[in-house]
Amino acid sequence: MDKKRKLEEINNLKIFSGNANSVLAEKICEHLSIRLGNAYVGRFPDGEIDLKVNEDVRGADVFLVQPTCPPVNENLAELLIFIDCLKRASAARITAVLPYYGYARKDRKDEGRVPITAKLVANLITESGADRVLTVDLHAAQIQGFFDIPVDHLLAFPVLSKYFERLKSEDLVVVTPDVGGIKLARNYSKKLGIKMAIVDKRRVGPEETQIGFVIGDVNNKDVIMIDDLIATGGSIVQAANVLKERGAKDIYVGATHPVFCGSAVEKLSAAPIKEIIVTDTIPLTEKAKSCHDKIKVLSISELLGDAIMRIHRHESVSSLFV
């Protein structure tokens, strides 16, 4: 590819951001050596969202970075209104970059008279005008099928596993805090060349779980506990306590999305956990920032930037994980 064609592609690529995680968007642009798109996203006096794109996007390949993290409804509304704005401004293609996909817990009807919000949000994003979606570590992989547009599902596994490689030893084991994370834990087990264990967890309420038993040997082992997100911290703390009771030594936690709602930070601070490794898919809360001695943030900007460029050039995204 000659230099002129590369320059034309870059000029045709535009990245914008709402208010949800503008710092991550700026890091992505820095990695790609391009400027973050100029847009105003504010509020009218009554709280309604006021938005204007301050540059020409006609015929452009636009990527909009906006995780639907807390405040979820505000950030979701910004996302939908921004997509509509870009569509009406004649952007050639709009990719919604959702480092964190909110409303993902309800991905099926597990009891009567409940919504499937993961599907509803997928419909809203599609109907607002998005042409494709780029996301990271969905809470349930099947959510990809809820969209009628292409979805590129990235994994934070390469970023987190690279950090944990420094801990490699014969006394190290990777643990999943519930059976739903077995596939993810197996990836780490294979990559790091270590054994794995499973903590049996049963959800008994929206914010409450019960730990049953541990499958696998953690006695006198250092543990890497892997999950896709940490919300209230209850499951992680319970699992850490059980692992300690089973003889585990140092416990490290790796999670993609640091939601940290409610009293999560206080729970995690008091738990027998040595270090919590998360990514910057969503910004840390002020409480979490104060716990910098235990919480470490790794940036996912390069992974997202590389994926954006591959999508822009119509190249394979899955090859990032080979």
Side-chain angles (χ1 to χ4, degrees), residues 221-255:
K221 306 280 187 182
D222 290 331
V223 168
I224 300 173
M225 189 161 29
I226 296 295
D227 211 345
D228 64 317
L229 64 86
I230 302 175
T232 64
S235 298
I236 292 291
V237 170
Q238 287 184 47
N241 289 330
V242 170
L243 291 170
K244 273 294 183 182
E245 291 172 3
R246 299 297 191 279
K249 296 192 294 185
D250 289 340
I251 298 175
Y252 300 84
V253 174

Side-chain angles (χ1 to χ4, degrees), residues 58-106:
R58 184 179 296 272
D61 189 11
V62 179
F63 292 79
L64 173 57
V65 181
Q66 178 76 350
T68 50
C69 52
V72 182
N73 298 331
E74 286 284 318
N75 289 329
L76 177 59
E78 276 191 14
L79 171 70
L80 300 176
I81 292 170
F82 212 138
I83 292 172
D84 180 76
C85 178
L86 292 167
K87 180 182 179 182
R88 295 177 188 278
S90 300
R93 182 175 65 173
I94 304 166
T95 300
V97 182
L98 307 174
Y100 172 73
Y101 184 83
Y103 279 116
R105 288 184 183 86
K106 291 289 187 179

Side-chain angles (χ1 to χ4, degrees), residues 18 46 54 84 90 104 111 113 124 149 156 158 181-182 197 217 232 236 261 275 281 283 287:
D46 62 357
N54 295 319
D84 180 76
S90 300
E111 58 181 311
R113 300 176 299 282
L124 290 171
I149 54 178
I182 290 177
D217 181 24
T232 64
I236 292 291
C261 54
E275 200 171 31
T281 54
K287 278 186 182 179

